[in-house]
């Protein structure tokens, strides 16, 4: 099954010519060459047509390690370098641990942008581990960079490198993790951001932070439909494409580089498998998917260790040699033409780029994005339910309604001036799934008979979103956690909604209950709602 992009273009407004200049210094070509060499090395250590590691030696099983986090309101970014993970075998002497990564079989250590993992998870490692029962995880982690909302700055963000009290944390496993020979196991590490990081301002006004890691863990049990758990926004760039069947019930596959290489670490390259039911968005066949393309995937890891795609959205083809990257992060502010109301430029916090170019566009840096008449605004179609809900209210991002706090992917060529921020000439822009934390204030109308279809108003705790009326819209497919539905939501404890955000300039009606959205309201179309 395939879906095509729906795009909108802005009215004719010329972009500043300076942002169209390309930097062709030899250092950039060397970086591109270095990335290709690192890819070749990574492929030589066992990345094949199957997403799981090579068959485990006798007496070994396969372990997938996932991470997620509990959100923190105004922490906009936290890049965590997971340098090493060890397991302690039950009954073994203290300190006699088994190293999971880095090893010869799993030589890389990932850098994870934790702020993107609110109510979702990602794969940080997949490798073979000796069969046995393990009762502790020993994780070593440091912070690369962080960014916080700061209303006194323009753009409203401050970056920092927090001090880590101890780079090593021991996490008890209860129940313990059992690795079975020839079988696949899953382990989730969940970071509690609010309890882990303390932000303060010193006497000079400088924002500082200290980190005391607070991780919990959970052994995952695969289910029939979502395996070890759904990942609704797995992202990276395409390294290779295999248009023939890799075996089993899979029709084709491609190699996805996730958590791309930085100056300190690199995430896993995953073979993503397609079935006859996988939705392809942006291309009609997998052999039309260019290598180097930025992609987002709704996927899960099945009980046999295969990464299986429910849907794949293919973005632009990026090129390190041509300074063209995908920039991922929240909008910080926007500038509009006073005559037309069209957006001419906006600042965004770049949490990371795909592929990564740390010498030119650093993680947690601010870039200025220029919007021109050729910029396309593509809609997020990985979730057909959310796409249909957006369509029912005529909600779509375009060059008039992009707002601070929205999570986006921008693809385009960057220019690095001698002073000032990096600028990007945007070829395409589309929204990402995001989680918004806040407080329930009131229902917006009467919920449907299922107590799931309807809407409610909330007050976001993130300063980027706090200045705009905010409504959460749900439907029959929205999931509710720690609450039975809309009628039991309470302002007593915070809640978290995960989905797609849109700004309604003129107001609209939306959904099966015909919810009225007032003009000037930010709308979150929720895939899930969790009351804390």
């Amino acid at each position: 099954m395939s879906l095509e992009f729906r795009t909108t273009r802005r009215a004719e407004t010329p972009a500043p010519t300076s942002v169209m200049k390309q930097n062709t210094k030899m250092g950039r070509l060397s970086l591109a060459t270095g990335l290709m060499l690192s890819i070749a090395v990574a492929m030589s250590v066992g990345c094949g047509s199957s997403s799981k590691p090579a068959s485990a030696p006798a007496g070994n099983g396969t372990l997938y390690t996932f991470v997620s986090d509990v959100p923190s309101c105004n922490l906009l970014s936290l890049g965590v370098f997971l340098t090493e993970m060890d397991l302690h075998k039950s009954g073994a002497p203290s300190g006699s641990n088994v190293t999971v990564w880095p090893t010869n079989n799993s030589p890389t250590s990932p850098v994870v942008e934790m702020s993107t993992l609110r109510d979702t998870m990602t794969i940080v490692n997949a490798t073979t581990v000796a069969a046995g029962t393990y009762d502790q995880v020993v994780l070593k982690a440091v912070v690369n960079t962080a960014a916080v909302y700061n209303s006194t700055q323009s753009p409203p963000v401050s970056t920092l490198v927090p001090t880590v009290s101890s780079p090593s944390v021991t996490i008890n496993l209860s129940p313990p993790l059992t690795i079975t020979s020839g079988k696949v196991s899953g382990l989730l590490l969940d970071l509690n951001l609010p309890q882990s990081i303390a932000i303060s301002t010193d006497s000079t006004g400088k924002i500082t932070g200290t980190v005391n890691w607070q991780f919990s863990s959970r052994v995952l049990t695969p289910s029939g439909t979502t395996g070890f758990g759904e990942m609704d926004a797995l992202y990276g760039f395409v390294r290779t494409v295999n248009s023939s069947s890799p075996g089993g019930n899979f029709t084709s596959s491609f190699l996805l580089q996730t958590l791309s290489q930085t100056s300190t670490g690199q995430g896993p390259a995953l073979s993503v498998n397609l079935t006859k039911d996988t939705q392809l968005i942006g291309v009609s066949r997998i052999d039309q998917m260019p290598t180097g393309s930025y992609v987002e995937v709704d996927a899960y890891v099945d009980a046999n260790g295969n990464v299986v795609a429910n849907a794949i959205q293919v973005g632009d083809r990026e090129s390190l040699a041509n300074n063209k990257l995908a920039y991922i992060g929240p909008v910080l502010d926007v500038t509009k033409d006073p005559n037309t109301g069209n957006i001419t430029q906006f600042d965004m916090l770049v949490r990371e780029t795909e592929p990564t170019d740390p010498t030119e566009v650093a993680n947690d840096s601010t870039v200025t994005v220029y919007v021109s008449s050729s910029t396309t605004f593509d809609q997020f179609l990985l979730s057909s339910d959310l796409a249909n809900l957006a369509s029912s209210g005529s909600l779509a991002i375009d060059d008039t309604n992009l707002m601070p706090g929205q999570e986006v992917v921008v693809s385009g060529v960057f220019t690095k001036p001698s002073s000032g921020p990096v600028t990007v000439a945007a070829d395409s822009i589309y929204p990402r799934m995001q989680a918004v934390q806040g407080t329930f204030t009131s229902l917006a109308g009467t919920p449907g008979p299922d107590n799931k279809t309807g809407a409610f108003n909330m007050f976001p705790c993130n300063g980027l979103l706090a200045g705009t009326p905010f409504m959460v819209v749900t439907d029959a497919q929205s999931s509710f956690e720690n609450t039975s539905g809309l009628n039991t939501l309470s302002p007593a404890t915070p809640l978290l909604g995960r989905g797609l955000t849109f700004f309604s300039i003129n107001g609209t009606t939306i959904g099966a209950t015909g919810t009225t959205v007032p003009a000037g309201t930010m709308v979150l179309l929720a895939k899930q709602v969790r009351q804390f």
Side-chain angles (χ1 to χ4, degrees):
M1 181 183 299
S2 65
L3 294 173
E4 296 301 320
F5 278 127
R6 293 176 291 166
T7 64
T8 59
R9 292 182 184 269
R10 56 158 298 148
E12 292 292 330
T13 303
T17 56
S18 62
V19 303
M20 302 305 294
K21 298 177 182 178
Q22 295 187 12
N23 183 346
T24 57
K25 294 184 293 185
M26 288 302 294
R28 299 285 298 108
L29 297 178
S30 298
L31 180 61
T33 304
L35 178 60
M36 294 308 297
L37 287 174
S38 70
I39 287 174
V41 171
M43 292 181 70
S44 71
V45 296
C47 293
S49 62
S50 173
S51 60
K52 56 187 176 183
S55 298
N60 285 10
T62 297
L63 175 64
Y64 272 85
T65 305
F66 304 83
V67 294
S68 63
D69 77 34
V70 175
S72 179
C73 284
N74 282 318
L75 186 66
L76 301 180
S77 176
L78 186 71
V80 178
F81 182 23
L82 303 176
T83 61
E84 183 178 337
M85 190 181 97
D86 303 329
L87 291 173
H88 177 263
K89 186 172 286 189
S90 298
S94 177
S96 58
N97 300 325
V98 175
T99 298
V100 178
W101 81 72
T103 65
N104 289 336
N105 289 332
S106 184
T108 60
S109 301
V111 176
V112 184
E113 178 45 64
M114 298 302 300
S115 64
T116 64
L117 298 176
R118 297 162 178 160
D119 264 23
T120 189
M121 63 184 188
T122 194
I123 301 167
V124 293
N125 186 266
T127 191
T128 57
V129 177
T133 300
Y134 299 89
D135 58 9
Q136 287 182 332
V137 174
V138 180
L139 187 66
K140 297 180 181 179
V142 296
V143 176
N144 270 13
T145 54
V148 296
Y149 173 74
N150 185 352
S151 61
T152 68
Q153 300 296 308
S154 180
V157 64
S158 291
T159 58
L160 64 152
V161 180
T163 301
V164 178
S165 59
S166 173
S168 180
V169 58
T170 298
I171 310 163
N172 293 322
L173 295 173
S174 181
L177 169 68
T178 299
I179 303 292
T180 303
S181 178
K183 301 294 184 180
V184 179
S185 300
L187 178 66
L188 175 65
L189 304 177
D190 191 29
L191 174 63
N192 189 318
L193 277 177
Q195 293 184 12
S196 293
I197 186 166
I199 303 297
S200 59
T201 304
D202 65 18
S203 58
T204 67
K206 180 181 178 181
I207 293 180
T208 61
T210 56
V211 172
N212 180 22
W213 296 121
Q214 300 294 319
F215 279 93
S216 60
S217 63
R218 178 162 56 94
V219 176
L220 301 177
T221 301
S223 70
T225 56
T226 58
F228 288 100
E230 182 186 11
M231 297 166 286
D232 61 16
L234 192 65
Y235 62 94
F237 67 91
V238 178
R239 284 179 26 173
T240 60
V241 174
N242 173 26
S243 58
S244 59
S245 172
N249 295 321
F250 303 123
T251 60
S252 54
S253 64
F254 70 97
L255 195 63
L256 175 67
Q257 178 62 59
T258 64
L259 309 176
S260 296
Q261 178 174 304
T262 69
S263 58
T264 52
Q266 179 173 320
L270 305 171
S271 183
V272 179
N273 297 283
L274 286 71
T275 71
K276 62 180 179 60
D277 297 319
T278 300
Q279 289 185 330
L280 274 173
I281 304 161
V283 296
S284 58
R285 302 191 315 270
I286 193 171
D287 58 6
Q288 297 174 342
M289 182 191 298
T291 56
S293 298
Y294 175 83
V295 296
E296 297 210 7
V297 186
D298 184 304
Y300 64 94
V301 178
D302 70 14
N304 295 316
N306 300 297
V307 179
V308 183
N310 297 314
I312 303 164
Q313 183 150 343
V314 183
D316 285 12
R317 187 177 193 178
E318 315 304 341
S319 170
L320 275 172
N322 294 319
N323 290 1
K324 185 176 180 182
L325 307 173
Y327 313 84
I328 306 163
V331 176
L332 298 174
D333 56 35
V334 298
T335 301
K336 291 187 175 183
D337 184 314
N339 297 316
T340 65
N342 292 332
I343 295 170
T344 57
Q345 66 184 68
F346 62 90
D347 293 318
M348 69 178 291
L349 174 67
V350 178
R351 294 194 182 106
E352 54 191 310
T353 65
E354 292 289 347
T356 299
D357 190 352
T359 63
E360 300 294 326
V361 186
N363 287 1
D364 288 340
S365 61
T366 300
V367 304
T368 298
V369 179
Y370 288 100
V371 181
S372 73
S373 59
S374 62
T375 302
T376 61
F377 288 80
D378 302 322
Q379 307 311 313
F380 183 94
L381 300 175
L382 274 183
S383 168
S384 57
D385 174 55
L386 295 185
N388 291 334
L389 192 56
S391 179
S392 74
S394 300
L395 295 175
I397 67 162
D398 59 33
D399 65 342
T400 65
N401 61 14
L402 203 59
M403 289 288 286
Q406 285 182 290
E407 298 278 343
V408 295
V409 179
V410 175
S411 179
V413 173
F414 73 82
T415 298
K416 187 174 184 179
S418 57
S419 62
V422 170
T423 60
V424 176
D427 291 327
S428 65
I429 301 169
Y430 75 85
R432 296 198 75 226
M433 293 279 283
Q434 68 182 100
V436 178
Q437 183 178 343
T439 304
F440 169 84
T441 57
S442 64
L443 290 174
T446 303
D450 60 0
N451 197 27
K452 296 174 68 176
T453 303
F456 62 91
N457 299 303
M458 70 176 284
F459 183 80
C461 62
N462 184 330
L464 287 174
L465 294 166
T468 305
F470 199 95
M471 180 182 290
V472 179
V473 178
T474 56
D475 67 5
Q477 296 188 50
S478 302
S479 64
F480 288 79
E481 185 178 343
N482 300 328
T483 179
S484 60
L486 292 168
N487 279 323
T488 53
L489 292 174
S490 167
T493 58
L495 58 80
L496 191 74
R498 181 172 176 81
L500 295 175
T501 57
F502 300 91
F503 182 67
S504 179
I505 295 177
N506 299 315
T508 187
T509 58
I510 190 170
T513 57
T515 298
T516 298
V517 178
T521 300
M522 187 74 81
V523 181
L524 172 70
L525 307 182
K527 178 180 179 180
Q528 58 201 56
V529 175
R530 176 160 63 100
Q531 184 97 55
F532 288 96

